[in-house]
Amino acid sequence: MKVLHSEIIKTKRTPLRYITFLLPVLFSSALLWYSSERSLFDFYIHQAFFEIWTAMVVPIMAGLLFGLAANQEENAGGFINLFCNNFERSKLYIGKFLVIALSMQIIGMIRQWYILMFKSLRG
């Protein structure tokens, strides 16, 4: 828990938090705008959304989030904080992975909430 807490605190002023909360809203808005201009069935809208999301956004986001985490460690002292402390390396790597996995889950929840909210308003 200490490692996970420290990793979350490290992301305090980084683009990781902005990406986590803005990307699903922007992507969902773009897809909902596109689908509102055309008469598509709800099934096709969801199918297209999840196909695009899994084929394009998830791999790009995973690479971007891991790259931001590595860049953050480099800027914090040239990876000295990662390699020269008294935690086991496996715990540090698991902590970084959990922060990125939690970010991806939060992105998914925000995305799903946004789409459901729009659908309920639309009728």
Side-chain angles (χ1 to χ4, degrees):
M1 286 307 281
K2 289 180 183 179
V3 174
L4 186 61
H5 184 265
S6 69
E7 290 297 325
I8 290 172
I9 288 180
K10 284 181 191 177
T11 65
K12 193 170 189 175
R13 292 186 179 97
T14 61
L16 179 68
R17 288 192 182 183
Y18 299 117
I19 288 171
T20 301
F21 293 109
L22 289 179
L23 181 75
V25 173
L26 294 175
F27 185 74
S28 300
S29 297
L31 188 72
L32 290 171
W33 171 78
Y34 177 77
S35 66
S36 69
E37 296 292 321
R38 287 148 180 79
S39 61
L40 300 173
F41 296 108
D42 284 341
F43 174 74
Y44 294 120
I45 293 169
H46 285 286
Q47 181 182 0
F49 179 81
F50 286 110
E51 284 178 359
I52 293 170
W53 186 264
T54 56
M56 295 178 61
V57 176
V58 172
I60 291 170
M61 279 303 297
L64 185 65
L65 293 177
F66 279 109
L68 285 172
N71 187 25
Q72 169 191 346
E73 285 293 331
E74 182 184 8
N75 291 338
F79 299 101
I80 197 77
N81 296 329
L82 189 61
F83 296 129
C84 295
N85 57 21
N86 47 357
F87 288 116
E88 294 177 22
R89 282 191 185 175
S90 61
K91 288 183 181 179
L92 292 172
Y93 295 142
I94 289 171
K96 286 201 173 297
F97 175 75
L98 286 177
V99 166
I100 292 172
L102 287 173
S103 296
M104 294 295 283
Q105 289 299 318
I106 290 170
I107 287 172
M109 288 188 299
I110 292 172
R111 168 185 44 91
Q112 191 64 25
W113 175 80
Y114 190 78
I115 287 177
L116 290 175
M117 183 184 69
F118 183 79
K119 279 187 68 175
S120 66
L121 292 174
R122 195 169 135 197

mmCIF file of all heavy atoms in Angstrom, residues 7-20 68-69 71-72:
data_model
loop_
_atom_site.group_PDB
_atom_site.id
_atom_site.type_symbol
_atom_site.label_atom_id
_atom_site.label_comp_id
_atom_site.label_asym_id
_atom_site.label_seq_id
_atom_site.Cartn_x
_atom_site.Cartn_y
_atom_site.Cartn_z
ATOM 1 N N GLU A 7 3.116 6.165 -5.506
ATOM 2 C CA GLU A 7 2.955 6.307 -6.956
ATOM 3 C C GLU A 7 1.808 7.259 -7.287
ATOM 4 O O GLU A 7 1.898 8.044 -8.232
ATOM 5 C CB GLU A 7 2.703 4.948 -7.611
ATOM 6 C CG GLU A 7 3.885 4.027 -7.614
ATOM 7 C CD GLU A 7 5.039 4.558 -8.414
ATOM 8 O OE1 GLU A 7 4.822 5.219 -9.454
ATOM 9 O OE2 GLU A 7 6.177 4.322 -8.006
ATOM 10 N N ILE A 8 0.736 7.203 -6.532
ATOM 11 C CA ILE A 8 -0.386 8.108 -6.768
ATOM 12 C C ILE A 8 0.021 9.542 -6.462
ATOM 13 O O ILE A 8 -0.334 10.474 -7.191
ATOM 14 C CB ILE A 8 -1.611 7.666 -5.951
ATOM 15 C CG1 ILE A 8 -2.164 6.370 -6.537
ATOM 16 C CG2 ILE A 8 -2.696 8.737 -5.945
ATOM 17 C CD1 ILE A 8 -3.244 5.730 -5.724
ATOM 18 N N ILE A 9 0.796 9.738 -5.403
ATOM 19 C CA ILE A 9 1.256 11.088 -5.074
ATOM 20 C C ILE A 9 2.214 11.613 -6.138
ATOM 21 O O ILE A 9 2.200 12.805 -6.454
ATOM 22 C CB ILE A 9 1.902 11.099 -3.676
ATOM 23 C CG1 ILE A 9 0.809 10.946 -2.635
ATOM 24 C CG2 ILE A 9 2.702 12.364 -3.433
ATOM 25 C CD1 ILE A 9 1.277 10.935 -1.220
ATOM 26 N N LYS A 10 3.011 10.742 -6.741
ATOM 27 C CA LYS A 10 3.938 11.170 -7.791
ATOM 28 C C LYS A 10 3.218 11.719 -9.017
ATOM 29 O O LYS A 10 3.770 12.521 -9.754
ATOM 30 C CB LYS A 10 4.824 10.006 -8.237
ATOM 31 C CG LYS A 10 5.920 9.663 -7.281
ATOM 32 C CD LYS A 10 6.723 8.509 -7.863
ATOM 33 C CE LYS A 10 7.667 7.917 -6.870
ATOM 34 N NZ LYS A 10 8.372 6.758 -7.446
ATOM 35 N N THR A 11 1.990 11.282 -9.236
ATOM 36 C CA THR A 11 1.246 11.731 -10.418
ATOM 37 C C THR A 11 0.454 13.003 -10.160
ATOM 38 O O THR A 11 -0.381 13.378 -10.975
ATOM 39 C CB THR A 11 0.269 10.649 -10.895
ATOM 40 O OG1 THR A 11 -0.723 10.437 -9.884
ATOM 41 C CG2 THR A 11 0.971 9.365 -11.219
ATOM 42 N N LYS A 12 0.724 13.671 -9.065
ATOM 43 C CA LYS A 12 -0.091 14.813 -8.662
ATOM 44 C C LYS A 12 -0.117 15.921 -9.714
ATOM 45 O O LYS A 12 -1.154 16.447 -10.042
ATOM 46 C CB LYS A 12 0.406 15.362 -7.333
ATOM 47 C CG LYS A 12 -0.542 16.326 -6.696
ATOM 48 C CD LYS A 12 -0.109 16.647 -5.293
ATOM 49 C CE LYS A 12 -1.188 17.438 -4.585
ATOM 50 N NZ LYS A 12 -0.871 17.663 -3.206
ATOM 51 N N ARG A 13 0.996 16.305 -10.247
ATOM 52 C CA ARG A 13 1.045 17.396 -11.228
ATOM 53 C C ARG A 13 1.581 16.912 -12.573
ATOM 54 O O ARG A 13 2.440 17.548 -13.173
ATOM 55 C CB ARG A 13 1.919 18.531 -10.690
ATOM 56 C CG ARG A 13 1.301 19.215 -9.512
ATOM 57 C CD ARG A 13 2.094 20.411 -9.066
ATOM 58 N NE ARG A 13 1.445 21.049 -7.946
ATOM 59 C CZ ARG A 13 1.762 20.857 -6.680
ATOM 60 N NH1 ARG A 13 2.727 20.029 -6.373
ATOM 61 N NH2 ARG A 13 1.125 21.484 -5.719
ATOM 62 N N THR A 14 1.069 15.802 -13.009
ATOM 63 C CA THR A 14 1.496 15.244 -14.288
ATOM 64 C C THR A 14 0.303 15.166 -15.235
ATOM 65 O O THR A 14 -0.846 15.241 -14.811
ATOM 66 C CB THR A 14 2.071 13.820 -14.097
ATOM 67 O OG1 THR A 14 1.049 12.982 -13.551
ATOM 68 C CG2 THR A 14 3.273 13.827 -13.185
ATOM 69 N N PRO A 15 0.566 14.992 -16.529
ATOM 70 C CA PRO A 15 -0.535 14.880 -17.489
ATOM 71 C C PRO A 15 -1.339 13.590 -17.330
ATOM 72 O O PRO A 15 -2.396 13.457 -17.927
ATOM 73 C CB PRO A 15 0.154 14.906 -18.850
ATOM 74 C CG PRO A 15 1.581 15.085 -18.628
ATOM 75 C CD PRO A 15 1.853 15.082 -17.173
ATOM 76 N N LEU A 16 -0.859 12.648 -16.537
ATOM 77 C CA LEU A 16 -1.562 11.378 -16.364
ATOM 78 C C LEU A 16 -2.969 11.594 -15.831
ATOM 79 O O LEU A 16 -3.928 10.988 -16.312
ATOM 80 C CB LEU A 16 -0.773 10.474 -15.414
ATOM 81 C CG LEU A 16 -1.371 9.120 -15.109
ATOM 82 C CD1 LEU A 16 -1.351 8.263 -16.356
ATOM 83 C CD2 LEU A 16 -0.603 8.440 -13.995
ATOM 84 N N ARG A 17 -3.123 12.471 -14.883
ATOM 85 C CA ARG A 17 -4.458 12.719 -14.317
ATOM 86 C C ARG A 17 -5.368 13.405 -15.327
ATOM 87 O O ARG A 17 -6.550 13.098 -15.416
ATOM 88 C CB ARG A 17 -4.358 13.555 -13.052
ATOM 89 C CG ARG A 17 -3.783 12.762 -11.912
ATOM 90 C CD ARG A 17 -3.941 13.464 -10.625
ATOM 91 N NE ARG A 17 -3.325 12.678 -9.568
ATOM 92 C CZ ARG A 17 -3.368 13.025 -8.307
ATOM 93 N NH1 ARG A 17 -3.962 14.126 -7.932
ATOM 94 N NH2 ARG A 17 -2.792 12.266 -7.403
ATOM 95 N N TYR A 18 -4.837 14.338 -16.099
ATOM 96 C CA TYR A 18 -5.653 15.013 -17.106
ATOM 97 C C TYR A 18 -6.076 14.043 -18.201
ATOM 98 O O TYR A 18 -7.215 14.075 -18.657
ATOM 99 C CB TYR A 18 -4.900 16.191 -17.721
ATOM 100 C CG TYR A 18 -4.538 17.249 -16.719
ATOM 101 C CD1 TYR A 18 -3.203 17.551 -16.452
ATOM 102 C CD2 TYR A 18 -5.522 17.936 -16.023
ATOM 103 C CE1 TYR A 18 -2.866 18.517 -15.524
ATOM 104 C CE2 TYR A 18 -5.195 18.898 -15.091
ATOM 105 C CZ TYR A 18 -3.864 19.185 -14.847
ATOM 106 O OH TYR A 18 -3.541 20.131 -13.922
ATOM 107 N N ILE A 19 -5.166 13.184 -18.616
ATOM 108 C CA ILE A 19 -5.483 12.199 -19.651
ATOM 109 C C ILE A 19 -6.549 11.242 -19.144
ATOM 110 O O ILE A 19 -7.480 10.889 -19.866
ATOM 111 C CB ILE A 19 -4.204 11.441 -20.076
ATOM 112 C CG1 ILE A 19 -3.308 12.356 -20.884
ATOM 113 C CG2 ILE A 19 -4.548 10.191 -20.872
ATOM 114 C CD1 ILE A 19 -1.947 11.777 -21.167
ATOM 115 N N THR A 20 -6.429 10.848 -17.889
ATOM 116 C CA THR A 20 -7.373 9.891 -17.319
ATOM 117 C C THR A 20 -8.795 10.430 -17.323
ATOM 118 O O THR A 20 -9.743 9.698 -17.573
ATOM 119 C CB THR A 20 -6.959 9.526 -15.885
ATOM 120 O OG1 THR A 20 -5.651 8.959 -15.915
ATOM 121 C CG2 THR A 20 -7.910 8.539 -15.266
ATOM 122 N N LEU A 68 4.759 7.936 -19.916
ATOM 123 C CA LEU A 68 4.692 9.042 -18.962
ATOM 124 C C LEU A 68 5.241 8.644 -17.596
ATOM 125 O O LEU A 68 5.893 9.443 -16.928
ATOM 126 C CB LEU A 68 3.251 9.531 -18.821
ATOM 127 C CG LEU A 68 2.703 10.357 -19.970
ATOM 128 C CD1 LEU A 68 1.209 10.601 -19.786
ATOM 129 C CD2 LEU A 68 3.442 11.675 -20.069
ATOM 130 N N ALA A 69 4.976 7.407 -17.188
ATOM 131 C CA ALA A 69 5.507 6.937 -15.902
ATOM 132 C C ALA A 69 7.036 6.870 -15.941
ATOM 133 O O ALA A 69 7.709 7.262 -14.977
ATOM 134 C CB ALA A 69 4.917 5.573 -15.557
ATOM 135 N N ASN A 71 9.006 8.625 -17.971
ATOM 136 C CA ASN A 71 9.488 9.999 -18.061
ATOM 137 C C ASN A 71 9.450 10.686 -16.695
ATOM 138 O O ASN A 71 10.345 11.455 -16.351
ATOM 139 C CB ASN A 71 8.651 10.776 -19.069
ATOM 140 C CG ASN A 71 9.199 12.149 -19.339
ATOM 141 O OD1 ASN A 71 10.386 12.397 -19.175
ATOM 142 N ND2 ASN A 71 8.335 13.046 -19.757
ATOM 143 N N GLN A 72 8.432 10.410 -15.933
ATOM 144 C CA GLN A 72 8.316 10.977 -14.594
ATOM 145 C C GLN A 72 9.470 10.518 -13.703
ATOM 146 O O GLN A 72 10.056 11.315 -12.974
ATOM 147 C CB GLN A 72 6.982 10.554 -14.009
ATOM 148 C CG GLN A 72 6.801 10.823 -12.558
ATOM 149 C CD GLN A 72 5.554 10.126 -12.036
ATOM 150 O OE1 GLN A 72 4.706 9.671 -12.779
ATOM 151 N NE2 GLN A 72 5.468 10.036 -10.739
#
